[in-house]
Amino acid sequence: MYAHGFIYLDNNATTPLDPRVLEAMMPYLTDNFANAASTHHFGQKANLALKKARKQVADLLNCDSTELIFTSGATEAINLALKGLVLHPNNTKKHIITVQTEHKAVLDTCKYLETLGIEITYLPVNSDGLIDLDLLDQSIRPDTLLVAIMYVNNETGVIQDVQKISKIIKNKETLFFCDATQALGKIPMDVYELGIDLLACSAHKFYGPKGAGALYINSETVGIRNLQSFIHGGGHESGLRSGTSNMPALVGFGKACELANQEMAQDAERIQTLRNQLETKLLQIEGAFINGHSSQRLYNTLNIGFPDFDANVFIGMHKTLAVSNGSACTSAIVEASHVLKAMGLTDEQAFGSLRISLGRFTTQEEIQSFTQQLKAAL
Ligand SMILES: *Cc1c(COP(=O)(O)O)cnc(C)c1O
């Protein structure tokens, strides 16, 4: 399936492009190169394609097209949401609540906002990776602008109870921002039913291209006008994010959403079966332990640790295996995973853990070969 005989089990870092997504993108890399903001017919054809892509993303979230701002990915959407709300001239609130196990895109943005005088509460998690809902409730203050909690954790697959979180937040004068980058395209999502005010997502985590993502902004509870823009220019994306639209990537994003809408259920069943087979086999290894809640965990992810095992050494020695020892974003520095540490693991246990994430193109053969190689190494 992949070049160089790769066994790719790192789908939470990024996914391969679905060939059908590439096919949808190709005309916009070749013949249909027009600028979607041009007023001539060629440009207006591109604008229609952009509208279609926005509708495809909106359909997967069950929101209105006008509530979406296209970005370069989830990192940018997260930055726009957090900084955009905090730094808007109308904002008077100075407190944000988030969680210790969030993605670095959220945590580092919060750290930056601290330097501007914003107070941040970093909620702890229990050994299963879940937050304490009572503690969340107690932490909300009159000056809490925003609660930022992710849907599915990228390292463990742990699923926070978004419905209950939003119920707690609904009774207060605060907004709910959800990083749903690992959830969109993998589990059904209805932003209204879930009570989410702002949401970030990214195409390359579910078989779309890199360089495309979106920020959803609820038009009733937030409104685009209440966010400060950081990229000024031609007024694209409702004035929040100027710059010529990345047509091939956004058309691909839309196509990936359409495919997810159609195939999510069957993909989930197949992937879950493979993940459970892998999990059962690896748990037979003496001392093996799973990181994350046993059932409140996404069907594609297995974060598993072994005693006297160094995940980085294993990864370094196996040139045709792609798995992770934590989040790819921090692996430039060898530091124990902040997610696993927050769940109470020691450095040694965290370094001894592998994140194995499956996807639409994972095969039974890959799982079997990986299991053999891991067992041999142990
Ligand atoms: C990948 C990821 C991001 C960053 O997304 P990009 O589109 O690569 O910027 C943010 N949050 C989570 C949970 C992720 O998995």
Side-chain angles (χ1 to χ4, degrees):
M1 164 82 218
Y2 304 110
H4 319 299
F6 252 101
I7 292 178
Y8 190 77
L9 295 171
D10 200 14
N11 286 274
N12 287 9
T14 194
T15 53
L17 199 62
D18 189 298
R20 294 166 293 179
V21 172
L22 177 64
E23 197 186 339
M25 291 169 68
M26 276 312 276
Y28 297 90
L29 289 159
T30 51
D31 293 343
N32 299 357
F33 56 84
N35 187 325
S38 296
T39 52
H40 48 67
H41 281 284
F42 197 21
Q44 286 315 293
K45 255 181 77 180
N47 192 34
L48 281 179
L50 190 62
K51 271 198 178 131
K52 181 180 168 193
R54 208 183 296 276
K55 180 77 169 63
Q56 286 166 319
V57 181
D59 284 348
L60 190 58
L61 288 162
N62 194 31
C63 70
D64 195 83
S65 289
T66 57
E67 297 177 300
L68 290 174
I69 301 297
F70 279 144
T71 64
S72 63
T75 301
E76 188 191 332
I78 291 164
N79 272 265
L80 178 58
L82 271 57
K83 294 180 196 167
L85 284 170
V86 168
L87 301 175
H88 191 275
N90 289 351
N91 174 45
T92 53
K93 296 184 174 182
K94 288 199 171 309
H95 180 230
I96 290 177
I97 298 171
T98 188
V99 183
Q100 289 171 3
T101 51
E102 291 291 305
H103 191 273
K104 288 286 179 184
V106 169
L107 293 176
D108 286 355
T109 303
C110 284
K111 266 190 205 142
Y112 165 72
L113 290 170
E114 277 182 303
T115 69
L116 304 182
I118 303 300
E119 213 183 308
I120 315 278
T121 299
Y122 298 93
L123 293 175
V125 295
N126 64 17
S127 57
D128 283 337
L130 293 168
I131 62 161
D132 177 342
L133 295 170
D134 290 329
L135 184 61
L136 166 66
D137 199 356
Q138 291 154 22
S139 304
I140 299 172
R141 318 189 309 211
D143 70 336
T144 305
L145 170 66
L146 185 74
V147 175
I149 300 179
M150 74 200 319
Y151 202 137
V152 173
N153 186 275
N154 47 302
E155 291 193 35
T156 59
V158 167
I159 304 170
Q160 299 292 344
D161 198 333
V162 167
Q163 194 94 61
K164 281 192 185 143
I165 291 168
S166 79
K167 277 213 182 96
I168 292 169
I169 297 170
K170 274 287 157 291
N171 299 321
K172 323 255 176 172
E173 289 284 309
T174 186
L175 297 171
F176 180 23
F177 166 77
C178 185
D179 174 1
T181 311
Q182 291 292 345
L184 192 70
K186 298 174 191 168
I187 46 182
M189 184 103 42
D190 181 325
V191 283
Y192 290 117
E193 217 168 79
L194 290 169
I196 293 169
D197 298 309
L198 303 105
L199 174 145
C201 58
S202 184
H204 78 94
K205 298 292 174 83
F206 61 105
Y207 321 104
K210 290 151 190 74
L215 176 64
Y216 156 76
I217 304 169
N218 185 311
S219 58
E220 283 171 25
T221 60
V222 193
I224 283 166
R225 284 209 185 82
N226 287 313
L227 272 84
Q228 172 65 50
S229 168
F230 301 101
I231 306 179
H232 300 97
H236 308 73
E237 298 298 320
S238 309
L240 267 186
R241 205 262 190 184
S242 288
T244 302
S245 302
N246 184 353
M247 287 301 297
L250 294 173
V251 166
F253 186 14
K255 185 68 185 179
C257 288
E258 184 193 291
L259 293 173
N261 240 339
Q262 293 162 356
E263 299 177 3
M264 197 185 301
Q266 72 195 60
D267 276 352
E269 208 183 300
R270 243 196 76 250
I271 294 167
Q272 177 152 29
T273 304
L274 286 177
R275 197 278 312 265
N276 290 351
Q277 281 174 5
L278 178 68
E279 186 170 306
T280 307
K281 281 227 181 78
L282 296 186
L283 275 178
Q284 289 164 0
I285 295 163
E286 199 173 319
F289 54 94
I290 288 182
N291 299 313
H293 192 272
S294 59
S295 59
Q296 249 177 277
R297 190 154 53 93
L298 194 68
Y299 56 78
N300 82 317
T301 306
L302 175 61
N303 194 313
I304 190 164
F306 309 97
D308 304 317
F309 176 70
D310 188 324
N312 280 322
V313 170
F314 173 77
I315 290 165
M317 279 172 53
H318 293 83
K319 295 201 167 73
T320 58
L321 293 184
V323 287
S324 168
N325 66 319
S327 83
C329 315
T330 49
S331 58
I333 331 153
V334 186
E335 230 174 54
S337 148
H338 72 283
V339 173
L340 300 182
K341 294 276 284 182
M343 290 162 65
L345 271 70
T346 62
D347 273 2
E348 205 182 321
Q349 288 169 324
F351 283 128
S353 295
L354 281 176
R355 177 186 73 180
I356 307 158
S357 48
L358 289 63
R360 183 181 284 163
F361 302 108
T362 304
T363 62
Q364 182 106 49
E365 293 71 42
E366 280 183 293
I367 294 295
Q368 275 164 356
S369 173
F370 172 78
T371 308
Q372 280 168 6
Q373 293 186 60
L374 179 62
K375 280 191 164 166
L378 282 161

